[in-house]
């Protein structure tokens, strides 16, 4: 019996040891090693004295830049775990810049690999940092071509005359960049490192072509909700169409799906439903910050189109008697542009409109934006929604004279199957389309294409979906 | 009981009970260990989650610890780039992209960085991208407001930006009423 007890003890000890070992291994942090590519005296080597700021103890501009970049590396290292050494070649060189427009920073993987040991999918490209993690070796070194895994360049001229004049980098580590003219360097680079680690598609979103004729790991997880086809199984033409399938391009990874349920919350949207010759049409709408907030769950009525030829200034003044006749007791359809939304809603309401459907005036508009300003003094009590320009054309050409507006509380940034949506505006935006979370995500996520200022830097659910997606692709 | 064959000594029923007890114990041990592992996993997750809370919400002590770690790394972990690495990093994304796509020997030889070059390690195949897939964070200043967006130069022609400030604002403020929604 002692032998058996001893066996049990050994077994439990082994299990316990294994668990400790597992914990220990998982508890390790990757190492981000910075490779300074700047010449003496500039960029990271800038010896200009600087006062420590926001926990950044550097006393020169160059030292503060290095510390800030290493701080980002530390945040990512803790998130990724593992024992990887990830080399980041970094420079603070001048970038394309004018007084009002310029590159803040850029980053990406410096090489890709396929068909290495432990690759989850064959014939599939992986960014090198991830490939190294999966292959458990540094493939660049093994190939005889040692390369850093990630490259990052930052704008060293920011704030100088002629380059975003008046702005300045904030190198503090406390996310407390002063409002106004400071750009938070840590937050900027945190996002860019995400791309360097693999948060991107290598397919050409404008043509649908795969990189070097093969999919990357990213394309295995992108699915078009209209066809339920993954990008890896599509033709170039299908990928091209899917890249602009706004609100239908979704991510299928399990970790991101779970993370999305924990992170994304419902938003109020006023969507338009109409019955035309093709059946029921659904036109996604944005949410007005003014007018009726309650009791707008269902508004049905005849449509009253304001004269289209007056666009974009329709309803910027009290409606004429003829216009008033066309909207009285109806859901007014008014083009955006020329004056504030609240002005148009106010004039439509004064003429007896029961609600307003605004039609956007730019084809590149996507998503369901919040719009207008909540101005109680305007006295607006009717509900308003904002549909895309394309849907506005559809509405006008449908021949229908009747529509319903429903308050649909839907998860911001998820499709109908509650999968997180990827950014796929109806006009391709190279570098933004397909390789980011959709801008309808609520709350704002780090890996959206546009900085909202309040995006999470937590990287993981329930505050962010960056890390869940990276786990999906193999991190 | 040492030295005895338990099968011979113990009656079947007792053997079965003992076996069941042992199995139960083993399962219990495993469960306990699994619990321990689960607890430690949770602790680790919680610790990481804590460390990775939005860093604006971090306790100062924790933020300072990471900052100190970063400062220490700055002192010991960094190195200077080789000429080849420097050259690679300085190349414009459009140029790197063009070389990646043409993949001609002539273009490859123009640079020591080998952008577009195929490299092999065991059974694996790699491809040097250089800066071709760099994702840029750009900023526009319109009417005193800032707008940061991402874009990539994937061709020799720079992507024509949407200069409709109102539309851009629509995108930037889609979820952020605090920053002001589309006004008109």
């Amino acid at each position: 019996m002692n032998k058996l007890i001893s066996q049990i003890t050994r077994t439990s000890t082994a299990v316990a040891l294994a668990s400790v070992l597992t914990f220990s291994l998982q508890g390790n942090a990757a190492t981000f090693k910075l490779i300074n590519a700047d010449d003496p005296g500039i960029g990271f080597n800038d010896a200009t004295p600087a006062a420590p700021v926001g926990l950044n103890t550097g006393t020169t501009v160059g030292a503060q830049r290095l510390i800030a970049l290493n701080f980002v590396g530390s945040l990512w290292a803790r998130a990724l775990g593992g024992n990887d050494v990830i080399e980041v070649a970094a420079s603070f060189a001048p970038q394309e810049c004018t007084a009002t427009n310029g590159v803040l920073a850029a980053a990406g993987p410096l090489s890709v690999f396929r068909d290495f040991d432990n690759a989850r999918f064959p014939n599939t490209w992986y960014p090198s940092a991830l490939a190294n993690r999966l292959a458990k070796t540094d493939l660049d070194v093994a190939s005889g071509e040692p390369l850093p895994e990630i490259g990052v360049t930052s704008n060293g001229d920011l704030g100088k005359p002629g380059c975003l004049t008046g702005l300045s980098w904030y190198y503090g580590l406390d996310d407390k960049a002063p409002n106004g003219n400071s750009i938070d360097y840590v937050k900027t680079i945190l996002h860019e490192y995400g791309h360097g680690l693999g948060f991107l598609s290598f397919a050409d979103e404008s043509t649908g072509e795969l990189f070097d004729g093969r999919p990357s790991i990213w394309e295995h997880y992108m699915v078009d909700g209209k066809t339920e086809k993954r990008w890896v199984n599509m033709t170039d033409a299908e990928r091209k169409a899917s890249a602009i399938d706004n609100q239908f391009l979704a991510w299928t990874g399990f970790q991101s799906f779970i993370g999305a349920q924990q992170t994304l919350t419902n938003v109020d949207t006023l969507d338009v439903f109409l019955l035309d010759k093709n059946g029921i049409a659904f036109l996604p709408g944005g949410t007005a910050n003014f007018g009726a907030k309650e009791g707008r769950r269902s508004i049905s009525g005849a449509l009253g189109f304001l004269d289209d030829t007056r666009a974009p200034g329709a309803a910027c003044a009290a409606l004429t008697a003829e216009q008033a006749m066309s909207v009285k007791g109806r859901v007014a359809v008014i083009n955006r542009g020329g004056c504030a939304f609240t002005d148009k809603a106010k004039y439509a309401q004064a003429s007896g409109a029961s609600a307003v459907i605004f039609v956007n005036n730019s084809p590149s508009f996507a998503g369901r934006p919040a719009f207008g300003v909540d101005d109680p003094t305007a006295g607006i009590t009717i509900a308003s929604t904002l549909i895309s320009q394309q849907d506005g054309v559809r509405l006008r050409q449908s021949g229908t004279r009747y529509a319903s507006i429903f308050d649909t509380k839907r998860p911001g940034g998820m499709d109908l199957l509650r999968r997180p949506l990827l950014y796929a505006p109806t006009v391709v935006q190279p570098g933004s389309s397909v390789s980011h979370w959709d801008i309808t995500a609520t709350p704002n996520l780090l890996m959206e294409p546009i900085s909202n200022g309040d995006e999470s830097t937590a990287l993981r659910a329930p505050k962010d979906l960056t890390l869940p997606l990276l786990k999906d692709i193999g991190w | 009981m040492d030295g005895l064959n338990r099968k011979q000594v113990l009656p079947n029923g007792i053997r079965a009970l003992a076996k069941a007890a042992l199995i139960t114990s083993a399962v219990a041990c495993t469960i306990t260990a699994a619990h321990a592992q689960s607890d430690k996993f949770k602790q680790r997750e919680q610790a990481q989650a804590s460390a990775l809370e939005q860093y604006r919400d971090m306790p100062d002590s924790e933020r300072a610890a990471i900052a100190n770690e970063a400062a220490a790394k700055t002192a010991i972990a960094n190195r200077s780039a080789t000429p080849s690495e420097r050259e690679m990093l300085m190349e414009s994304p459009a140029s790197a992209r063009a070389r990646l796509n043409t993949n001609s020997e002539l273009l490859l030889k123009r640079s020591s960085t080998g952008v577009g070059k195929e490299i092999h390690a065991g059974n694996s195949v790699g491809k040097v991208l250089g800066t071709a897939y760099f994702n840029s964070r750009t900023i526009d200043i319109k009417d005193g407001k800032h707008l940061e967006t991402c874009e990539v130069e994937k061709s020799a022609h720079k992507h024509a930006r949407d200069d409709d400030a109102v539309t851009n604002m629509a995108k930037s403020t889609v979820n952020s009423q605090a920053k002001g929604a589309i006004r008109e």
Side-chain angles (χ1 to χ4, degrees):
Chain A
M1 185 69 87
N2 285 344
K3 265 188 185 174
L4 289 178
I5 291 171
S6 166
Q7 265 185 336
I8 293 164
T9 307
R10 279 202 304 273
T11 305
S12 58
T13 304
V15 172
L17 261 177
S19 66
V20 169
L21 185 63
T22 306
F23 170 67
S24 171
L25 287 174
Q26 288 176 334
N28 285 344
T31 300
F32 280 73
K33 192 172 176 182
L34 187 58
I35 298 171
N36 181 349
D38 280 333
D39 291 327
I42 66 166
F44 291 112
N45 304 317
D46 188 334
T48 306
V53 58
L55 292 173
N56 190 326
T57 54
T59 53
T60 66
V61 171
Q64 289 192 353
R65 290 169 171 170
L66 283 171
I67 289 172
L69 206 61
N70 277 318
F71 181 73
V72 173
S74 294
L75 291 174
W76 269 111
R78 287 163 180 244
L80 295 175
N83 299 307
D84 317 57
V85 175
I86 299 168
E87 289 195 322
V88 179
S91 162
F92 230 98
Q95 305 283 325
E96 190 174 323
C97 204
T98 69
T100 57
N101 174 292
V103 174
L104 291 174
L110 290 175
S111 60
V112 286
F113 281 89
R114 62 176 168 83
D115 298 311
F116 46 84
D117 290 345
N118 305 319
R120 192 180 301 172
F121 298 104
N123 210 28
T124 296
W125 294 110
Y126 289 74
S128 58
L130 174 56
N132 290 347
R133 160 70 67 100
L134 296 171
K136 298 184 173 68
T137 186
D138 191 329
L139 291 163
D140 288 316
V141 172
S143 70
E145 298 277 349
L147 282 170
E149 280 72 38
I150 295 173
V152 56
T153 55
S154 307
N155 194 331
D157 282 347
L158 184 85
K160 292 180 180 174
C163 177
L164 297 165
T165 313
L167 295 188
S168 61
W169 283 114
Y170 177 75
Y171 298 115
L173 314 178
D174 54 358
D175 196 17
K176 290 177 182 168
N179 289 331
N181 296 324
S182 294
I183 307 295
D184 194 306
Y185 185 64
V186 166
K187 192 177 274 186
T188 303
I189 298 299
L190 199 67
H191 173 103
E192 293 302 326
Y193 268 35
H195 289 301
L197 290 164
F199 204 110
L200 80 168
S201 166
F202 291 98
D204 188 321
E205 62 277 80
S206 298
T207 65
E209 292 174 88
L210 297 173
F211 173 66
D212 207 35
R214 295 176 177 83
S216 73
I217 182 66
W218 188 272
E219 282 86 64
H220 284 271
Y221 290 95
M222 269 201 298
V223 66
D224 193 295
K226 278 184 184 163
T227 60
E228 285 303 316
K229 212 170 182 180
R230 295 182 185 226
W231 270 43
V232 67
N233 297 322
M234 289 182 182
T235 63
D236 288 354
E238 288 172 329
R239 277 187 287 271
K240 181 181 177 182
S242 179
I244 54 173
D245 210 355
N246 185 37
Q247 303 299 302
F248 285 97
L249 185 63
W251 183 262
T252 58
F254 177 74
Q255 296 283 348
S256 297
F257 177 81
I258 298 298
Q261 313 316 309
Q262 299 169 332
T263 304
L264 300 178
T265 56
N266 284 343
V267 291
D268 281 327
T269 56
L270 279 180
D271 295 325
V272 179
F273 293 81
L274 60 99
L275 188 63
D276 64 12
K277 58 191 176 193
N278 298 317
I280 295 175
F282 161 69
L283 314 179
T287 305
N289 292 323
F290 55 88
K293 296 287 195 299
E294 303 294 335
R296 59 178 192 184
R297 296 207 173 277
S298 173
I299 303 163
S300 297
L303 294 171
F305 294 92
L306 281 192
D307 187 356
D308 201 17
T309 60
R310 290 173 184 267
C316 283
L319 303 191
T320 64
E322 184 186 356
Q323 288 175 322
M325 281 292 288
S326 66
V327 302
K328 188 175 182 182
R330 296 179 175 179
V331 176
V333 181
I334 306 174
N335 281 348
R336 174 188 170 192
C339 60
F341 287 110
T342 44
D343 289 342
K344 293 175 183 242
K346 182 175 66 182
Y347 292 127
Q349 177 179 293
S351 295
S354 60
V356 179
I357 299 173
F358 288 108
V359 178
N360 215 302
N361 58 357
S362 168
S364 61
F365 161 81
R368 294 182 171 86
F371 67 98
V373 178
D374 188 10
D375 178 11
T377 62
I380 301 168
T381 55
I382 61 174
S384 301
T385 186
L386 173 65
I387 62 175
S388 72
Q389 190 176 42
Q390 296 92 323
D391 284 342
V393 171
R394 180 174 183 178
L395 186 65
R396 290 181 189 281
Q397 293 179 346
S398 67
T400 185
R401 310 300 296 177
Y402 191 86
S404 294
I405 302 175
F406 288 103
D407 186 352
T408 48
K409 287 185 191 298
R410 60 171 56 235
M414 286 194 236
D415 71 1
L416 293 174
L417 297 179
R418 299 187 67 84
R419 297 175 296 203
L421 286 166
L422 293 164
Y423 185 53
T426 51
V427 176
V428 168
Q429 297 186 25
S432 292
S433 293
V434 168
S435 295
H436 292 89
W437 293 125
D438 189 60
I439 56 175
T440 57
T442 305
N444 291 322
L445 302 173
L446 177 69
M447 297 308 290
E448 289 183 43
I450 295 151
S451 171
N452 289 286
D454 62 349
E455 59 268 35
S456 170
T457 51
L459 300 179
R460 66 177 67 227
K463 290 192 174 179
D464 191 46
L465 297 179
T466 309
L467 199 56
L469 182 141
L470 291 180
K471 284 185 175 179
D472 283 333
I473 63 173
W475 277 103
Chain B
M1 204 179 291
D2 285 349
L4 296 176
N5 183 331
R6 290 183 304 277
K7 280 188 182 175
Q8 292 173 339
V9 174
L10 296 176
N12 283 343
I14 295 176
R15 263 208 317 273
L17 279 174
K19 193 177 177 183
L22 289 173
I23 290 171
T24 307
S25 302
V27 169
C29 284
T30 306
I31 289 171
T32 305
H35 262 296
Q37 185 176 16
S38 171
D39 287 346
K40 284 179 178 174
F41 182 76
K42 278 182 188 166
Q43 285 167 14
R44 181 181 64 80
E45 286 282 292
Q46 284 165 358
Q48 284 193 344
S50 167
L52 291 165
E53 284 297 297
Q54 287 183 296
Y55 59 93
R56 77 189 64 147
D57 299 329
M58 277 182 190
D60 278 351
S61 57
E62 191 165 354
R63 199 197 325 272
I66 300 176
N68 288 337
E69 183 183 309
K73 279 184 182 171
T74 302
I76 61 171
N78 302 321
R79 70 170 171 85
S80 294
T82 63
S84 174
E85 289 167 342
R86 185 169 288 126
E87 187 180 344
M88 175 181 284
L89 213 56
M90 295 304 156
E91 184 170 22
S92 79
S95 170
R97 179 77 178 184
R99 288 207 287 146
L100 192 66
N101 286 341
T102 55
N103 201 22
S104 80
E105 284 300 313
L106 181 66
L107 285 170
L108 292 179
K109 282 175 186 168
R110 272 174 41 194
S111 165
S112 58
T113 59
V115 171
K117 189 157 75 176
E118 203 165 83
I119 50 181
H120 297 263
N123 294 325
S124 74
V125 179
K127 197 111 175 170
V128 180
L129 301 177
T131 56
Y133 279 87
F134 267 24
N135 185 294
S136 300
R137 198 83 175 159
T138 63
I139 187 166
D140 275 335
I141 306 174
K142 302 274 188 188
D143 303 326
K145 294 188 176 70
H146 304 159
L147 175 66
E148 292 178 40
T149 54
C150 291
E151 63 179 27
V152 170
E153 291 181 85
K154 284 189 173 178
S155 69
H157 303 290
K158 181 159 169 46
H159 167 55
R161 285 198 54 79
D162 179 357
D163 285 328
D164 181 347
V166 177
T167 302
N168 278 339
M169 283 308 294
K171 289 182 288 192
S172 73
T173 57
V174 63
N175 298 317
S176 179
Q177 295 185 18
K179 287 171 73 74
I182 318 168
R183 286 176 179 269
E184 60 178 27

